[in-house]
Amino acid sequence: MNLQTTAIVVTYNPDLSTLQRQFMSVHEQVDAIVYVDNGSKNIDLINELFLDFVQQKKIKLFIISNSSNLGLGYAQNQGIKKAIELDSNFVLILDHDSVLTPGFVNELVNSTIQLKNQGAKVGAVGPVYINEKTNEQYPITRYIGPFINRVNPTEGSNVEASFLIASGSLISIDVLHEVGLMNEDLFVDYIDVEWSFRCKSKGFKLFAIQKALMHHEIGDNRVSVFGRMISVHSPIRRYYLTRNSVYMLRSPHVSWGYKLREFTFNVFRIFIFSLISQERMKYLKFSFRGLKDGIKGKFGSI
């Protein structure tokens, strides 16, 4: 059986040289690519970048242009719906700066088939990430109640994970039909975590595939607080993080352990960054607005 894979790439003001590098790393590994642009200022340059490939029909390449930023989940779903139209078997979700290593997609597809043959109910598979600064593997996160077990994958292993980062994840269309598409209400942040928990609530398992490696710098700027590295976000991003954290607390398919940890660290982050942020009042304003909107059930774009 010839399994078809469509890559879905959401772009938002991308660096064109990085986007070109990504395209060159992806186009020979998949059957089609759907670029969904979320209102980029440089959309004309993006279209120009891909014009030759579209005209020469070297690959099935589609560009969906949104006039404004409609949210990450919405854009991902636009790409998924296009992949369904193309009769794809799998979708590969990618950020616009995710550059693949050779053989990346084959490793994910073959691992999915192998795991299914072994009797696993596979919801999605994803890569093991490499820290670009240190060249070390990021450990795989597994929740045990409110505690985290960080597993360092051995060479060639498939490690079950509590959730997968969206970029690099390979998902079967059949699974999406059963679990549902990405949550558009969240707009940005927690979309992959929420989908992972929803997927696991249906009895599926998620796996990180060590043979599929991706260089990735997880998080924004990071600082050490009491020996713990935490990401520094803008006030508007903290709004979405705080609000969507409340969504996770309200969701019945999210584990109690994750909820307890999420509540504790959300309070901790608001307190810490209200002290160290250079925009303290703005940070607090957006944090508490996020809390209020999350409690009221007001989601979507701010």
Side-chain angles (χ1 to χ4, degrees), residues 223-240:
V223 297
S224 178
V225 180
F226 303 133
R228 178 184 174 83
M229 297 300 294
I230 55 178
S231 296
V232 180
H233 299 99
S234 67
I236 188 70
R237 189 73 182 274
R238 176 49 56 188
Y239 165 82
Y240 285 113

Side-chain angles (χ1 to χ4, degrees), residues 210-246:
Q210 195 279 332
K211 286 185 178 179
L213 299 173
M214 178 182 286
H215 289 270
H216 188 63
E217 187 61 35
I218 297 177
D220 297 321
N221 295 329
R222 295 168 74 83
V223 297
S224 178
V225 180
F226 303 133
R228 178 184 174 83
M229 297 300 294
I230 55 178
S231 296
V232 180
H233 299 99
S234 67
I236 188 70
R237 189 73 182 274
R238 176 49 56 188
Y239 165 82
Y240 285 113
L241 286 162
T242 304
R243 187 198 67 181
N244 293 351
S245 177
V246 176

Side-chain angles (χ1 to χ4, degrees), residues 13-285:
N13 299 325
D15 174 78
L16 293 180
S17 61
T18 302
L19 188 62
Q20 184 174 28
R21 281 178 54 229
Q22 187 213 45
F23 173 78
M24 297 306 294
S25 76
V26 175
H27 81 279
E28 291 185 347
Q29 298 195 43
V30 298
D31 301 284
I33 306 178
V34 181
Y35 284 93
V36 184
D37 186 77
N38 246 344
S40 292
K41 296 176 181 178
N42 56 350
I43 183 59
D44 291 339
L45 296 176
I46 295 171
N47 287 329
E48 186 178 318
L49 179 67
F50 295 127
L51 182 62
D52 287 342
F53 289 95
V54 173
Q55 290 177 339
Q56 295 173 33
K57 298 182 179 178
K58 291 183 177 180
I59 184 176
K60 292 179 181 177
L61 191 153
F62 306 89
I63 301 176
I64 299 173
S65 299
N66 296 323
S67 58
S68 61
N69 187 353
L70 300 177
L72 179 60
Y74 186 92
Q76 288 173 338
N77 287 343
Q78 286 178 292
I80 291 170
K81 290 170 185 176
K82 184 63 179 179
I84 292 172
E85 284 181 26
L86 296 172
D87 290 326
S88 302
N89 301 96
F90 299 100
V91 293
L92 176 71
I93 308 293
L94 295 171
D95 291 342
H96 63 216
D97 57 355
S98 299
V99 179
L100 305 188
T101 51
F104 181 92
V105 178
N106 277 341
E107 291 291 354
L108 292 182
V109 172
N110 291 339
S111 294
T112 299
I113 295 169
Q114 181 184 20
L115 286 163
K116 286 184 176 180
N117 289 339
Q118 293 170 355
K121 188 177 180 182
V122 181
V125 296
V128 169
Y129 296 95
I130 303 294
N131 188 318
E132 286 197 335
K133 294 180 180 178
T134 65
N135 211 35
E136 296 176 334
Q137 291 185 165
Y138 284 101
I140 306 305
T141 300
R142 291 204 294 218
Y143 280 85
I144 303 173
F147 304 104
I148 283 182
N149 179 26
R150 301 185 191 279
V151 180
N152 292 308
T154 57
E155 187 172 348
S157 63
N158 301 327
V159 180
E160 188 175 349
S162 290
F163 59 83
L164 295 174
I165 295 172
S167 186
S169 292
L170 183 88
I171 310 172
S172 166
I173 294 295
D174 290 341
V175 171
L176 287 164
H177 283 315
E178 186 170 345
V179 175
L181 304 186
M182 303 302 153
N183 190 322
E184 299 176 8
D185 286 343
L186 299 181
F187 195 79
V188 69
D189 293 311
Y190 287 92
I191 294 169
D192 44 10
V193 181
E194 188 277 332
W195 188 89
S196 293
F197 275 111
R198 186 160 22 108
C199 184
K200 288 169 68 67
S201 74
K202 302 284 187 180
F204 290 99
K205 293 184 177 182
L206 310 170
F207 294 92
I209 310 302
Q210 195 279 332
K211 286 185 178 179
L213 299 173
M214 178 182 286
H215 289 270
H216 188 63
E217 187 61 35
I218 297 177
D220 297 321
N221 295 329
R222 295 168 74 83
V223 297
S224 178
V225 180
F226 303 133
R228 178 184 174 83
M229 297 300 294
I230 55 178
S231 296
V232 180
H233 299 99
S234 67
I236 188 70
R237 189 73 182 274
R238 176 49 56 188
Y239 165 82
Y240 285 113
L241 286 162
T242 304
R243 187 198 67 181
N244 293 351
S245 177
V246 176
Y247 183 97
M248 299 297 285
L249 296 176
R250 297 176 56 170
S251 299
H253 53 269
V254 175
S255 69
W256 70 267
Y258 182 88
K259 289 179 179 180
L260 179 59
R261 187 180 180 87
E262 189 65 20
F263 175 80
T264 302
F265 282 99
N266 211 8
V267 173
F268 171 77
R269 292 184 190 105
I270 292 174
F271 173 73
I272 290 298
F273 284 110
S274 67
L275 296 179
I276 68 174
S277 175
Q278 295 180 349
E279 300 178 281
R280 182 180 302 173
M281 295 309 297
K282 190 175 182 181
Y283 186 91
L284 283 171
K285 173 186 173 182

